[in-house]
Amino acid sequence: MKSNSSPNDIPSKFLKIASCIVSEWLSKLFNKCMTTGEYPDSWKIAHITPIPKVHSPSSSSEYRPISVLPVFSKLFEKIIYHRVYSYLTEHNLIDKRQHGFRVNHSTELAITSIYDELLSNFDNKLITCSLFLDLSKAFDCCDHENLLDKLYHYGIRGVSHKLFSNFLHNRMQCTKIGEYKSSSKRISCGVPQGSVISPLLFLKHPLFILLYLLMILISICQIPFLMFFSQLLTLNYVKLTTG
């Protein structure tokens, strides 16, 4: 865990030092959240810090928003993440060609797969054509109710479903620059930036499902493809002829 301060002004470094004291209290709190499906509102406040993308930014598009969430929230999310990820993998609900945010998968593995495909086609005198697709602002476009419907469809129901509903709803964010902080605004859609579990939730959102349906269509045409989170790459090939 990084040593920065979170929106509740409790440095994660403090929790590391006092772990033997607070661990029992935190375990009771986390268990209470999981058995009741409640998610504290104080854990749903994000501080957004704009970081310049260029040397002298002149517009808002030239800043990258960095979201910092409460440290207790991120600790609890790690527990939820491992349980949900285990459930999804156990029931084969994550496509094997998805390389983003998966155990034993990475950008390096995705690039290696592409490289192997290119070399194989080259050896067989085939010309490879590629198509890259990307979902812009993927996290910000997620509709809460659609996402909750998909989670229910995949078997996350009852108290677990209530917990995710409380996790998504009534979230707030404000902009913080140095010691200055804006007023808080409610977030009506999207999964929270900087969250541990948001990438996993996005994999089950209808936007990603549309991308997945496109994957199925591509596979029917027998075109190799792979994915890295919200990006899709297809590799098609044609026979190299001479004369």
Side-chain angles (χ1 to χ4, degrees), residues 7-8 39-46 69-70 72-73 170:
N8 53 22
Y39 201 94
D41 286 342
S42 60
W43 293 358
K44 296 186 281 186
I45 303 172
L69 295 170
F72 290 150
S73 169
N170 199 34

Side-chain angles (χ1 to χ4, degrees), residues 64-129:
R64 178 179 290 105
I66 303 299
S67 176
V68 179
L69 295 170
V71 63
F72 290 150
S73 169
K74 301 195 78 171
L75 285 173
F76 185 47
E77 284 184 44
K78 287 184 178 181
I79 299 173
I80 301 174
Y81 176 91
H82 288 299
R83 295 194 177 192
V84 174
Y85 185 82
S86 297
Y87 172 81
L88 294 176
T89 52
E90 180 182 346
H91 294 84
N92 298 317
L93 296 176
I94 300 179
D95 192 275
K96 63 182 180 180
R97 288 159 291 195
Q98 168 59 245
H99 286 72
F101 299 98
R102 292 186 61 199
V103 177
N104 299 323
H105 289 70
S106 63
T107 51
E108 290 84 359
L109 182 58
I111 292 172
T112 301
S113 300
I114 298 171
Y115 185 67
D116 288 344
E117 187 74 27
L118 292 174
L119 288 180
S120 176
N121 290 345
F122 182 79
D123 290 340
N124 291 301
K125 297 184 177 181
L126 298 173
I127 299 176
T128 303
C129 305

